[in-house]
Amino acid sequence: MVRETVLSPANLVMPLFIHPGKNRTEPIKSMPGISRITADLAARECSEIHRLGIPAVLLFGIPASKDAKGTGAWKNDGVVQNAVRAIKKEVPGMVVITDVCLCEYTSHGHCGVVSGDKVLNDATLELLARMAESHAQAGADIVAPSDMMDGRVGFLRKKLDSARLIDTSILAYSAKYASAFYGPFRDAADSAPSFGDRASYQMDPANAREAMREVRLDIEEGADMVMVKPALAYLDIIRRIRDSFDVPLAAYNVSGEYSMVKAAGSGKLLDEKRTIMEILTSIKRAGADIIITYHAREAAAWLTRKE
Ligand code: PBG
């Protein structure tokens, strides 16, 4: 009766890693309990988690081959494009969000076009727009640019609108920090940069005012929703953004946060279930409306069993 924060499956988004082929599952070593799956299995997974009350999934693609520009990212029959169509066919009510970033598709693992040891901001925008457009054409409801290039939200909005994809929303990874907590994901998506790091485009963990500026710019450029990533070490950022802006706010409970809990849980250092529910409730209490988490499926199952 006096509880202030109530977590619901409706707050959760489940990320899925899609690889090519059919009926193929490949467990991800760095993320116990999470696997790379094919489009057909993703559609099946979606019908199960939709029944648990999870409204949306976030898709990442691991293409069969990579190149310097990441051309696999905007193929009409690319891994993510195929999965979007399969999911929409099987579970039309599932909201499909796609991650828009080149790092899973480039041979060098950077999130944009590379020249020498530099990532070129403006040359990358055109490629991101092609990617977002092909996701939207395949049926994605929301595109989520995670590359952190400047000006990409406005650029994508213009391109989507001119392709008459006016109903596709943009969830901007606005305050995305250059974080050690992405380690397990880079193993999952095979996307670790082959040289340097992402500090020239992702944010310094020491900065909070910069997060406010990034969010303001993304909203001005047309973002429908904004995101803070990672979540746990950045609860103060979530709260500041919630207090200052009125668009829906997502928080990404990232791979390292997930794997840390799984490792501690299987080592019996922590009560895994209680830890997960405390973490997710705290992210919501901090001000997130939407929580993207690899725990989504297990948490929704616990919540719907009313334990
Ligand atoms: C792509 C991207 C990353 C994550 C989401 N989109 C990796 C990165 O920026 O290196 C990380 C997600 C996670 O750790 O769970 N740029």
Side-chain angles (χ1 to χ4, degrees):
M1 189 175 72
V2 294
R3 177 169 285 173
E4 298 171 23
T5 304
V6 181
L7 184 69
S8 148
N11 301 123
L12 307 178
V13 175
M14 180 76 192
L16 299 175
F17 294 102
I18 315 292
H19 63 176
K22 260 195 142 178
N23 197 21
R24 222 159 47 83
T25 301
E26 189 184 322
I28 296 163
K29 273 203 211 74
S30 59
M31 300 178 70
I34 304 292
S35 297
R36 298 176 178 186
I37 54 177
T38 46
D40 54 326
L41 298 180
R44 198 191 303 160
E45 170 82 5
C46 282
S47 64
E48 285 167 26
I49 63 178
H50 199 248
R51 241 177 276 133
L52 292 172
I54 295 174
V57 287
L58 171 61
L59 305 186
F60 293 96
I62 302 110
S65 63
K66 308 191 185 218
D67 57 34
K69 274 184 139 186
T71 56
W74 54 85
K75 273 203 208 139
N76 181 40
D77 64 345
V79 267
V80 165
Q81 289 81 352
N82 286 343
V84 173
R85 283 186 290 262
I87 292 168
K88 279 292 179 185
K89 189 162 166 226
E90 182 115 351
V91 198
M94 183 60 102
V95 174
V96 177
I97 311 172
T98 57
D99 188 87
V100 173
C101 185
L102 298 178
C103 65
E104 296 120 66
Y105 300 87
T106 52
S107 39
H108 46 70
H110 273 290
C111 301
V113 180
V114 162
S115 169
D117 60 356
K118 284 212 156 40
V119 175
L120 303 179
N121 190 93
D122 293 4
T124 302
L125 300 181
E126 185 58 49
L127 307 187
L128 294 168
R130 276 188 217 171
M131 184 177 185
E133 190 179 329
S134 86
H135 289 174
Q137 297 282 16
D141 301 289
I142 303 175
V143 292
S146 71
D147 52 281
M148 288 299 277
M149 298 301 131
D150 290 333
R152 89 272 204 219
V153 173
F155 198 88
L156 293 194
R157 185 69 272 161
K158 226 165 108 199
K159 289 283 177 173
L160 288 170
D161 286 351
S162 61
R164 294 176 185 269
L165 294 159
I166 56 171
D167 293 325
T168 309
S169 304
I170 297 179
L171 163 58
Y173 284 73
S174 301
K176 176 171 175 178
Y177 288 88
S179 171
F181 287 102
Y182 307 151
F185 173 95
R186 292 180 187 173
D187 178 35
D190 187 20
S191 66
S194 58
F195 64 89
D197 57 31
R198 304 211 202 289
S200 70
Y201 40 105
Q202 298 183 350
M203 286 179 45
D204 181 349
N207 288 3
R209 289 192 304 264
E210 186 183 3
M212 303 300 279
R213 189 160 68 240
E214 291 282 3
V215 166
R216 187 171 1 96
L217 288 170
D218 283 354
I219 294 173
E220 281 167 12
E221 289 177 31
D224 299 284
M225 305 162 221
V226 296
M227 192 196 299
V228 174
K229 175 184 175 189
L232 269 191
Y234 301 91
L235 295 178
D236 59 322
I237 309 295
I238 295 173
R239 170 48 55 194
R240 276 171 86 148
I241 294 172
R242 168 43 64 242
D243 286 344
S244 305
F245 299 96
D246 59 5
V247 296
L249 173 60
Y252 199 144
N253 177 221
V254 299
S255 57
E257 301 174 285
Y258 170 86
S259 296
M260 212 161 58
V261 171
K262 287 290 166 187
S266 66
K268 304 276 180 246
L269 300 174
L270 285 173
D271 176 329
E272 191 174 313
K273 180 180 167 187
R274 280 189 57 204
T275 306
I276 292 167
M277 295 316 258
E278 184 175 334
I279 286 173
L280 297 179
T281 302
S282 299
I283 295 171
K284 184 158 182 198
R285 191 201 62 235
D289 307 295
I290 302 163
I291 305 172
I292 302 168
T293 177
Y294 303 96
H295 297 297
R297 188 190 170 126
E298 56 192 350
W302 294 328
L303 288 166
T304 49
R305 263 188 250 129
K306 302 251 186 312
E307 281 171 50

PDB file of all heavy atoms in Angstrom, residues 102-132:
ATOM      1  N   LEU A 102      27.226   0.998 -36.501  1.00  0.00           N
ATOM      2  CA  LEU A 102      27.990   0.202 -37.472  1.00  0.00           C
ATOM      3  C   LEU A 102      28.957  -0.797 -36.841  1.00  0.00           C
ATOM      4  O   LEU A 102      29.481  -1.668 -37.534  1.00  0.00           O
ATOM      5  CB  LEU A 102      28.769   1.144 -38.402  1.00  0.00           C
ATOM      6  CG  LEU A 102      27.905   2.086 -39.264  1.00  0.00           C
ATOM      7  CD1 LEU A 102      28.810   3.001 -40.086  1.00  0.00           C
ATOM      8  CD2 LEU A 102      26.972   1.297 -40.175  1.00  0.00           C
ATOM      9  N   CYS A 103      29.183  -0.714 -35.521  1.00  0.00           N
ATOM     10  CA  CYS A 103      30.311  -1.477 -34.953  1.00  0.00           C
ATOM     11  C   CYS A 103      30.161  -2.985 -35.077  1.00  0.00           C
ATOM     12  O   CYS A 103      31.151  -3.702 -35.122  1.00  0.00           O
ATOM     13  CB  CYS A 103      30.579  -1.080 -33.502  1.00  0.00           C
ATOM     14  SG  CYS A 103      29.262  -1.483 -32.355  1.00  0.00           S
ATOM     15  N   GLU A 104      28.942  -3.487 -35.162  1.00  0.00           N
ATOM     16  CA  GLU A 104      28.792  -4.943 -35.340  1.00  0.00           C
ATOM     17  C   GLU A 104      29.050  -5.358 -36.789  1.00  0.00           C
ATOM     18  O   GLU A 104      29.149  -6.534 -37.082  1.00  0.00           O
ATOM     19  CB  GLU A 104      27.379  -5.395 -34.958  1.00  0.00           C
ATOM     20  CG  GLU A 104      27.014  -5.187 -33.494  1.00  0.00           C
ATOM     21  CD  GLU A 104      25.805  -4.270 -33.349  1.00  0.00           C
ATOM     22  OE1 GLU A 104      24.702  -4.644 -33.761  1.00  0.00           O
ATOM     23  OE2 GLU A 104      25.997  -3.140 -32.856  1.00  0.00           O
ATOM     24  N   TYR A 105      29.115  -4.379 -37.673  1.00  0.00           N
ATOM     25  CA  TYR A 105      29.221  -4.670 -39.116  1.00  0.00           C
ATOM     26  C   TYR A 105      30.565  -4.283 -39.723  1.00  0.00           C
ATOM     27  O   TYR A 105      30.865  -4.650 -40.848  1.00  0.00           O
ATOM     28  CB  TYR A 105      28.096  -3.937 -39.869  1.00  0.00           C
ATOM     29  CG  TYR A 105      26.722  -4.379 -39.394  1.00  0.00           C
ATOM     30  CD1 TYR A 105      26.111  -3.769 -38.298  1.00  0.00           C
ATOM     31  CD2 TYR A 105      26.054  -5.436 -40.008  1.00  0.00           C
ATOM     32  CE1 TYR A 105      24.869  -4.191 -37.831  1.00  0.00           C
ATOM     33  CE2 TYR A 105      24.811  -5.861 -39.558  1.00  0.00           C
ATOM     34  CZ  TYR A 105      24.227  -5.231 -38.463  1.00  0.00           C
ATOM     35  OH  TYR A 105      23.002  -5.656 -38.004  1.00  0.00           O
ATOM     36  N   THR A 106      31.360  -3.491 -38.979  1.00  0.00           N
ATOM     37  CA  THR A 106      32.649  -3.056 -39.528  1.00  0.00           C
ATOM     38  C   THR A 106      33.762  -4.003 -39.101  1.00  0.00           C
ATOM     39  O   THR A 106      33.775  -4.514 -37.979  1.00  0.00           O
ATOM     40  CB  THR A 106      33.013  -1.627 -39.036  1.00  0.00           C
ATOM     41  OG1 THR A 106      32.902  -1.582 -37.600  1.00  0.00           O
ATOM     42  CG2 THR A 106      32.075  -0.587 -39.632  1.00  0.00           C
ATOM     43  N   SER A 107      34.719  -4.219 -40.033  1.00  0.00           N
ATOM     44  CA  SER A 107      35.842  -5.111 -39.749  1.00  0.00           C
ATOM     45  C   SER A 107      36.741  -4.540 -38.638  1.00  0.00           C
ATOM     46  O   SER A 107      37.355  -5.285 -37.889  1.00  0.00           O
ATOM     47  CB  SER A 107      36.651  -5.352 -41.019  1.00  0.00           C
ATOM     48  OG  SER A 107      36.736  -4.151 -41.763  1.00  0.00           O
ATOM     49  N   HIS A 108      36.797  -3.192 -38.506  1.00  0.00           N
ATOM     50  CA  HIS A 108      37.632  -2.587 -37.470  1.00  0.00           C
ATOM     51  C   HIS A 108      36.890  -2.421 -36.149  1.00  0.00           C
ATOM     52  O   HIS A 108      37.485  -2.065 -35.140  1.00  0.00           O
ATOM     53  CB  HIS A 108      38.160  -1.228 -37.952  1.00  0.00           C
ATOM     54  CG  HIS A 108      37.111  -0.373 -38.593  1.00  0.00           C
ATOM     55  ND1 HIS A 108      36.096   0.198 -37.878  1.00  0.00           N
ATOM     56  CD2 HIS A 108      36.889  -0.055 -39.893  1.00  0.00           C
ATOM     57  CE1 HIS A 108      35.305   0.862 -38.711  1.00  0.00           C
ATOM     58  NE2 HIS A 108      35.750   0.716 -39.944  1.00  0.00           N
ATOM     59  N   GLY A 109      35.594  -2.662 -36.131  1.00  0.00           N
ATOM     60  CA  GLY A 109      34.843  -2.621 -34.870  1.00  0.00           C
ATOM     61  C   GLY A 109      34.496  -1.227 -34.365  1.00  0.00           C
ATOM     62  O   GLY A 109      33.930  -1.084 -33.278  1.00  0.00           O
ATOM     63  N   HIS A 110      34.805  -0.172 -35.123  1.00  0.00           N
ATOM     64  CA  HIS A 110      34.397   1.163 -34.689  1.00  0.00           C
ATOM     65  C   HIS A 110      32.964   1.444 -35.144  1.00  0.00           C
ATOM     66  O   HIS A 110      32.440   0.794 -36.044  1.00  0.00           O
ATOM     67  CB  HIS A 110      35.370   2.234 -35.186  1.00  0.00           C
ATOM     68  CG  HIS A 110      36.520   2.414 -34.242  1.00  0.00           C
ATOM     69  ND1 HIS A 110      36.363   2.984 -32.996  1.00  0.00           N
ATOM     70  CD2 HIS A 110      37.822   2.048 -34.332  1.00  0.00           C
ATOM     71  CE1 HIS A 110      37.534   2.983 -32.364  1.00  0.00           C
ATOM     72  NE2 HIS A 110      38.439   2.414 -33.155  1.00  0.00           N
ATOM     73  N   CYS A 111      32.352   2.446 -34.510  1.00  0.00           N
ATOM     74  CA  CYS A 111      30.936   2.722 -34.741  1.00  0.00           C
ATOM     75  C   CYS A 111      30.710   3.593 -35.977  1.00  0.00           C
ATOM     76  O   CYS A 111      29.581   3.972 -36.272  1.00  0.00           O
ATOM     77  CB  CYS A 111      30.337   3.393 -33.507  1.00  0.00           C
ATOM     78  SG  CYS A 111      30.497   2.361 -32.032  1.00  0.00           S
ATOM     79  N   GLY A 112      31.786   3.947 -36.689  1.00  0.00           N
ATOM     80  CA  GLY A 112      31.631   4.796 -37.867  1.00  0.00           C
ATOM     81  C   GLY A 112      32.720   4.545 -38.886  1.00  0.00           C
ATOM     82  O   GLY A 112      33.531   3.627 -38.730  1.00  0.00           O
ATOM     83  N   VAL A 113      32.727   5.401 -39.913  1.00  0.00           N
ATOM     84  CA  VAL A 113      33.734   5.307 -40.971  1.00  0.00           C
ATOM     85  C   VAL A 113      35.085   5.738 -40.404  1.00  0.00           C
ATOM     86  O   VAL A 113      35.175   6.743 -39.701  1.00  0.00           O
ATOM     87  CB  VAL A 113      33.356   6.248 -42.140  1.00  0.00           C
ATOM     88  CG1 VAL A 113      34.387   6.175 -43.245  1.00  0.00           C
ATOM     89  CG2 VAL A 113      31.960   5.906 -42.661  1.00  0.00           C
ATOM     90  N   VAL A 114      36.126   4.981 -40.729  1.00  0.00           N
ATOM     91  CA  VAL A 114      37.438   5.265 -40.182  1.00  0.00           C
ATOM     92  C   VAL A 114      38.368   5.789 -41.276  1.00  0.00           C
ATOM     93  O   VAL A 114      38.365   5.289 -42.393  1.00  0.00           O
ATOM     94  CB  VAL A 114      38.009   3.969 -39.546  1.00  0.00           C
ATOM     95  CG1 VAL A 114      39.507   4.069 -39.347  1.00  0.00           C
ATOM     96  CG2 VAL A 114      37.313   3.677 -38.224  1.00  0.00           C
ATOM     97  N   SER A 115      39.137   6.831 -40.936  1.00  0.00           N
ATOM     98  CA  SER A 115      40.185   7.297 -41.835  1.00  0.00           C
ATOM     99  C   SER A 115      41.442   7.454 -40.988  1.00  0.00           C
ATOM    100  O   SER A 115      41.467   8.254 -40.054  1.00  0.00           O
ATOM    101  CB  SER A 115      39.771   8.624 -42.465  1.00  0.00           C
ATOM    102  OG  SER A 115      40.873   9.195 -43.117  1.00  0.00           O
ATOM    103  N   GLY A 116      42.483   6.672 -41.297  1.00  0.00           N
ATOM    104  CA  GLY A 116      43.676   6.655 -40.437  1.00  0.00           C
ATOM    105  C   GLY A 116      43.257   6.153 -39.068  1.00  0.00           C
ATOM    106  O   GLY A 116      42.619   5.112 -38.951  1.00  0.00           O
ATOM    107  N   ASP A 117      43.555   6.942 -38.027  1.00  0.00           N
ATOM    108  CA  ASP A 117      43.136   6.503 -36.690  1.00  0.00           C
ATOM    109  C   ASP A 117      41.950   7.330 -36.194  1.00  0.00           C
ATOM    110  O   ASP A 117      41.688   7.413 -35.010  1.00  0.00           O
ATOM    111  CB  ASP A 117      44.312   6.569 -35.705  1.00  0.00           C
ATOM    112  CG  ASP A 117      44.857   7.987 -35.566  1.00  0.00           C
ATOM    113  OD1 ASP A 117      44.386   8.895 -36.286  1.00  0.00           O
ATOM    114  OD2 ASP A 117      45.756   8.186 -34.729  1.00  0.00           O
ATOM    115  N   LYS A 118      41.225   7.963 -37.140  1.00  0.00           N
ATOM    116  CA  LYS A 118      40.089   8.811 -36.746  1.00  0.00           C
ATOM    117  C   LYS A 118      38.755   8.234 -37.221  1.00  0.00           C
ATOM    118  O   LYS A 118      38.674   7.636 -38.296  1.00  0.00           O
ATOM    119  CB  LYS A 118      40.239  10.198 -37.369  1.00  0.00           C
ATOM    120  CG  LYS A 118      41.267  11.075 -36.672  1.00  0.00           C
ATOM    121  CD  LYS A 118      40.851  12.545 -36.765  1.00  0.00           C
ATOM    122  CE  LYS A 118      41.443  13.415 -35.682  1.00  0.00           C
ATOM    123  NZ  LYS A 118      42.834  13.143 -35.343  1.00  0.00           N
ATOM    124  N   VAL A 119      37.713   8.437 -36.415  1.00  0.00           N
ATOM    125  CA  VAL A 119      36.366   8.067 -36.838  1.00  0.00           C
ATOM    126  C   VAL A 119      35.708   9.330 -37.391  1.00  0.00           C
ATOM    127  O   VAL A 119      35.670  10.361 -36.715  1.00  0.00           O
ATOM    128  CB  VAL A 119      35.558   7.491 -35.653  1.00  0.00           C
ATOM    129  CG1 VAL A 119      34.126   7.217 -36.064  1.00  0.00           C
ATOM    130  CG2 VAL A 119      36.214   6.210 -35.148  1.00  0.00           C
ATOM    131  N   LEU A 120      35.236   9.269 -38.618  1.00  0.00           N
ATOM    132  CA  LEU A 120      34.695  10.455 -39.295  1.00  0.00           C
ATOM    133  C   LEU A 120      33.207  10.619 -38.993  1.00  0.00           C
ATOM    134  O   LEU A 120      32.379   9.799 -39.408  1.00  0.00           O
ATOM    135  CB  LEU A 120      34.897  10.343 -40.806  1.00  0.00           C
ATOM    136  CG  LEU A 120      36.344  10.161 -41.276  1.00  0.00           C
ATOM    137  CD1 LEU A 120      36.392  10.047 -42.792  1.00  0.00           C
ATOM    138  CD2 LEU A 120      37.225  11.312 -40.790  1.00  0.00           C
ATOM    139  N   ASN A 121      32.887  11.660 -38.265  1.00  0.00           N
ATOM    140  CA  ASN A 121      31.502  11.894 -37.836  1.00  0.00           C
ATOM    141  C   ASN A 121      30.531  12.034 -39.027  1.00  0.00           C
ATOM    142  O   ASN A 121      29.593  11.249 -39.178  1.00  0.00           O
ATOM    143  CB  ASN A 121      31.453  13.166 -36.979  1.00  0.00           C
ATOM    144  CG  ASN A 121      30.112  13.358 -36.285  1.00  0.00           C
ATOM    145  OD1 ASN A 121      29.931  12.946 -35.145  1.00  0.00           O
ATOM    146  ND2 ASN A 121      29.140  13.944 -36.953  1.00  0.00           N
ATOM    147  N   ASP A 122      30.778  13.015 -39.894  1.00  0.00           N
ATOM    148  CA  ASP A 122      29.759  13.347 -40.905  1.00  0.00           C
ATOM    149  C   ASP A 122      29.619  12.278 -41.979  1.00  0.00           C
ATOM    150  O   ASP A 122      28.507  12.028 -42.462  1.00  0.00           O
ATOM    151  CB  ASP A 122      30.046  14.723 -41.523  1.00  0.00           C
ATOM    152  CG  ASP A 122      29.856  15.826 -40.480  1.00  0.00           C
ATOM    153  OD1 ASP A 122      29.582  15.483 -39.310  1.00  0.00           O
ATOM    154  OD2 ASP A 122      29.977  17.011 -40.824  1.00  0.00           O
ATOM    155  N   ALA A 123      30.733  11.634 -42.335  1.00  0.00           N
ATOM    156  CA  ALA A 123      30.663  10.573 -43.350  1.00  0.00           C
ATOM    157  C   ALA A 123      29.864   9.392 -42.814  1.00  0.00           C
ATOM    158  O   ALA A 123      29.257   8.628 -43.570  1.00  0.00           O
ATOM    159  CB  ALA A 123      32.065  10.121 -43.737  1.00  0.00           C
ATOM    160  N   THR A 124      29.835   9.240 -41.491  1.00  0.00           N
ATOM    161  CA  THR A 124      29.118   8.122 -40.879  1.00  0.00           C
ATOM    162  C   THR A 124      27.600   8.327 -40.927  1.00  0.00           C
ATOM    163  O   THR A 124      26.844   7.356 -41.040  1.00  0.00           O
ATOM    164  CB  THR A 124      29.582   7.949 -39.409  1.00  0.00           C
ATOM    165  OG1 THR A 124      31.000   7.731 -39.417  1.00  0.00           O
ATOM    166  CG2 THR A 124      28.898   6.779 -38.735  1.00  0.00           C
ATOM    167  N   LEU A 125      27.170   9.585 -40.871  1.00  0.00           N
ATOM    168  CA  LEU A 125      25.730   9.869 -40.778  1.00  0.00           C
ATOM    169  C   LEU A 125      24.944   9.249 -41.935  1.00  0.00           C
ATOM    170  O   LEU A 125      23.880   8.650 -41.731  1.00  0.00           O
ATOM    171  CB  LEU A 125      25.472  11.384 -40.728  1.00  0.00           C
ATOM    172  CG  LEU A 125      26.103  12.129 -39.544  1.00  0.00           C
ATOM    173  CD1 LEU A 125      25.742  13.614 -39.608  1.00  0.00           C
ATOM    174  CD2 LEU A 125      25.644  11.534 -38.213  1.00  0.00           C
ATOM    175  N   GLU A 126      25.479   9.385 -43.136  1.00  0.00           N
ATOM    176  CA  GLU A 126      24.793   8.866 -44.325  1.00  0.00           C
ATOM    177  C   GLU A 126      24.587   7.345 -44.214  1.00  0.00           C
ATOM    178  O   GLU A 126      23.517   6.823 -44.552  1.00  0.00           O
ATOM    179  CB  GLU A 126      25.621   9.224 -45.561  1.00  0.00           C
ATOM    180  CG  GLU A 126      25.012   8.861 -46.877  1.00  0.00           C
ATOM    181  CD  GLU A 126      23.641   9.500 -47.098  1.00  0.00           C
ATOM    182  OE1 GLU A 126      23.489  10.727 -46.890  1.00  0.00           O
ATOM    183  OE2 GLU A 126      22.724   8.759 -47.470  1.00  0.00           O
ATOM    184  N   LEU A 127      25.594   6.647 -43.700  1.00  0.00           N
ATOM    185  CA  LEU A 127      25.509   5.183 -43.589  1.00  0.00           C
ATOM    186  C   LEU A 127      24.506   4.777 -42.499  1.00  0.00           C
ATOM    187  O   LEU A 127      23.740   3.821 -42.660  1.00  0.00           O
ATOM    188  CB  LEU A 127      26.883   4.586 -43.291  1.00  0.00           C
ATOM    189  CG  LEU A 127      28.009   5.002 -44.256  1.00  0.00           C
ATOM    190  CD1 LEU A 127      29.289   4.221 -43.967  1.00  0.00           C
ATOM    191  CD2 LEU A 127      27.589   4.783 -45.703  1.00  0.00           C
ATOM    192  N   LEU A 128      24.506   5.532 -41.409  1.00  0.00           N
ATOM    193  CA  LEU A 128      23.541   5.253 -40.335  1.00  0.00           C
ATOM    194  C   LEU A 128      22.116   5.451 -40.850  1.00  0.00           C
ATOM    195  O   LEU A 128      21.201   4.688 -40.510  1.00  0.00           O
ATOM    196  CB  LEU A 128      23.783   6.176 -39.136  1.00  0.00           C
ATOM    197  CG  LEU A 128      25.095   5.976 -38.382  1.00  0.00           C
ATOM    198  CD1 LEU A 128      25.324   7.131 -37.416  1.00  0.00           C
ATOM    199  CD2 LEU A 128      25.096   4.639 -37.631  1.00  0.00           C
ATOM    200  N   ALA A 129      21.943   6.481 -41.686  1.00  0.00           N
ATOM    201  CA  ALA A 129      20.605   6.762 -42.212  1.00  0.00           C
ATOM    202  C   ALA A 129      20.138   5.625 -43.116  1.00  0.00           C
ATOM    203  O   ALA A 129      18.976   5.217 -43.059  1.00  0.00           O
ATOM    204  CB  ALA A 129      20.608   8.087 -42.975  1.00  0.00           C
ATOM    205  N   ARG A 130      21.060   5.093 -43.930  1.00  0.00           N
ATOM    206  CA  ARG A 130      20.686   3.953 -44.781  1.00  0.00           C
ATOM    207  C   ARG A 130      20.260   2.770 -43.922  1.00  0.00           C
ATOM    208  O   ARG A 130      19.314   2.064 -44.230  1.00  0.00           O
ATOM    209  CB  ARG A 130      21.906   3.495 -45.598  1.00  0.00           C
ATOM    210  CG  ARG A 130      22.109   4.282 -46.836  1.00  0.00           C
ATOM    211  CD  ARG A 130      23.201   3.632 -47.668  1.00  0.00           C
ATOM    212  NE  ARG A 130      23.967   4.693 -48.291  1.00  0.00           N
ATOM    213  CZ  ARG A 130      25.097   4.524 -48.944  1.00  0.00           C
ATOM    214  NH1 ARG A 130      25.610   3.313 -49.075  1.00  0.00           N
ATOM    215  NH2 ARG A 130      25.708   5.539 -49.477  1.00  0.00           N
ATOM    216  N   MET A 131      20.999   2.566 -42.829  1.00  0.00           N
ATOM    217  CA  MET A 131      20.704   1.443 -41.930  1.00  0.00           C
ATOM    218  C   MET A 131      19.334   1.623 -41.275  1.00  0.00           C
ATOM    219  O   MET A 131      18.492   0.716 -41.284  1.00  0.00           O
ATOM    220  CB  MET A 131      21.811   1.376 -40.877  1.00  0.00           C
ATOM    221  CG  MET A 131      21.721   0.223 -39.918  1.00  0.00           C
ATOM    222  SD  MET A 131      23.156   0.265 -38.794  1.00  0.00           S
ATOM    223  CE  MET A 131      22.860  -1.271 -37.915  1.00  0.00           C
ATOM    224  N   ALA A 132      19.091   2.819 -40.751  1.00  0.00           N
ATOM    225  CA  ALA A 132      17.823   3.088 -40.066  1.00  0.00           C
ATOM    226  C   ALA A 132      16.660   2.943 -41.042  1.00  0.00           C
ATOM    227  O   ALA A 132      15.612   2.366 -40.717  1.00  0.00           O
ATOM    228  CB  ALA A 132      17.836   4.494 -39.471  1.00  0.00           C
TER     229      ALA A 132
END
